[in-house]
């Protein structure tokens, strides 16, 4: 299939030049830093955010609460993986070439990109993780979505994607994370509960309070886990 419009009259192309032009006007060290962050740093930050959220979601007063909360966190990386798999046929169908192959004067910060441009895998992964986190915990999710938006900006800044590649990735990641969430929770929550009821492995799901701390645990957990206003859509 023919790729999306790549003519210079397209606002998508104009915005590409505007954002990528910032790289040419930036100091070399800053441009290289943004390239590293856009290629690796933000995705790593999102993974660490998922781990941080998981650690806090274990600190619930009951196993049932912990199991549903941890299941929601587990769904975030699973949603990201599914979204990227869905993107494979989309890329093959659209066959949109990378912007630097069709437009001169772009400041290309990362080389070796030979695959198609639409939809952006990085934007898809980042937004699926961010929205998946929002399902589990609103505060962590908002941070994740902010990081995903920054990821999208970096991909255009680097000259490897059109803005619509990024918007398409955001839409795909959001759709997968939200639309499949009810089914995912129905499948993952019983598994998490079963794991939480085991021995040492149970601590992966539930940081069970001990002895005299049991009665105080709900109050103490508020400092390390989400309260009612922080619970995500899975709550």
């Amino acid at each position: 299939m023919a790729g999306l419009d790549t003519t210079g009259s397209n606002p998508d192309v104009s915005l590409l030049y505007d954002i990528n032009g910032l790289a040419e006007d930036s100091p070399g060290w800053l441009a290289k830093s943004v390239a590293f962050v856009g290629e690796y740093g933000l995705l790593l930050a999102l993974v660490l955010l998922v781990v941080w959220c998981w650690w806090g979601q274990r600190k619930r007063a009951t196993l049932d609460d912990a199991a549903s909360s941890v299941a929601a966190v587990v769904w975030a990386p699973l949603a990201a993986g599914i979204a990227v798999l869905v993107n494979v046929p989309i890329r093959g169908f659209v066959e949109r070439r990378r912007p630097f192959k069709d437009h001169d004067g772009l400041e290309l910060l990362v080389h070796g990109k030979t695959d198609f441009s639409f939809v952006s895998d990085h934007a898809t992964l980042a937004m699926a993780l961010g929205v998946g986190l929002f399902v589990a915990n609103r505060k962590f999710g908002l941070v994740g979505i902010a990081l995903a938006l920054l990821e999208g900006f970096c991909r255009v800044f680097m000259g490897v994607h059109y803005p619509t590649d990024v918007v398409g990735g955001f839409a795909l990641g959001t759709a997968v994370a939200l639309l499949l969430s009810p089914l995912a929770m129905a499948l993952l929550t019983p598994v998490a509960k079963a794991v939480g009821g085991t021995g040492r492995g149970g601590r992966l799901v539930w940081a069970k309070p001990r002895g005299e701390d049991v009665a105080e645990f709900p109050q103490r957990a508020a400092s390390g886990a989400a309260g009612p206003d922080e619970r995500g859509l899975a709550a």
Side-chain angles (χ1 to χ4, degrees):
M1 178 180 175
L4 302 181
D5 185 12
T6 58
T7 63
S9 60
N10 186 346
D12 192 27
V13 177
S14 300
L15 188 57
L16 164 68
Y17 275 104
D18 289 341
I19 296 176
N20 180 254
L22 298 174
E24 185 175 359
D25 298 334
S26 301
W29 64 268
L30 179 58
K32 291 180 180 179
S33 298
V34 173
F36 178 82
V37 168
E39 191 72 9
Y40 308 107
L42 287 170
L43 291 182
L44 176 59
L46 280 163
V47 170
L48 294 176
L49 192 66
V50 169
V51 174
W52 187 4
C53 185
W54 158 76
W55 187 262
Q57 298 299 80
R58 295 160 56 250
K59 300 176 182 179
R60 298 291 184 185
T62 67
L63 174 58
D64 286 345
D65 282 347
S68 62
S69 297
V70 169
V73 177
V74 171
W75 169 236
L78 290 179
I82 292 172
V84 170
L85 290 177
V86 172
N87 188 30
V88 172
I90 295 176
R91 280 191 160 194
F93 179 72
V94 176
E95 294 184 344
R96 188 186 203 185
R97 285 156 55 93
R98 295 277 183 172
F100 56 82
K101 293 185 176 182
D102 290 320
H103 302 286
D104 296 326
L106 291 175
E107 186 74 14
L108 183 60
L109 301 182
V110 176
H111 299 273
K113 300 292 183 181
T114 58
D115 55 346
F116 294 120
S117 184
F118 185 91
V119 176
S120 166
D121 277 340
H122 279 72
T124 301
L125 276 169
M127 189 56 75
L129 285 169
V131 174
L133 278 175
F134 189 81
V135 171
N137 183 287
R138 294 191 185 98
K139 288 187 176 181
F140 278 93
L142 289 174
V143 174
I145 291 171
L147 292 176
L149 293 174
L150 182 57
E151 176 69 53
F153 173 83
C154 288
R155 301 308 289 177
V156 181
F157 181 92
M158 294 157 60
V160 295
H161 282 294
Y162 295 95
T164 48
D165 297 338
V166 168
V167 173
F170 288 165
L172 177 58
T174 299
V176 170
L178 289 183
L179 295 180
L180 297 183
S181 175
L183 175 61
M185 292 303 300
L187 295 175
L188 292 173
T189 300
V191 175
K193 187 174 181 180
V195 172
T198 61
R200 292 183 179 180
R203 294 187 65 80
L204 293 172
V205 174
W206 187 31
K208 185 178 180 180
R210 298 179 180 178
E212 67 275 6
D213 296 332
V214 172
E216 300 176 5
F217 186 75
Q219 289 73 30
R220 293 190 298 103
S223 62
D229 59 326
E230 300 175 27
R231 295 290 294 276
L233 302 180

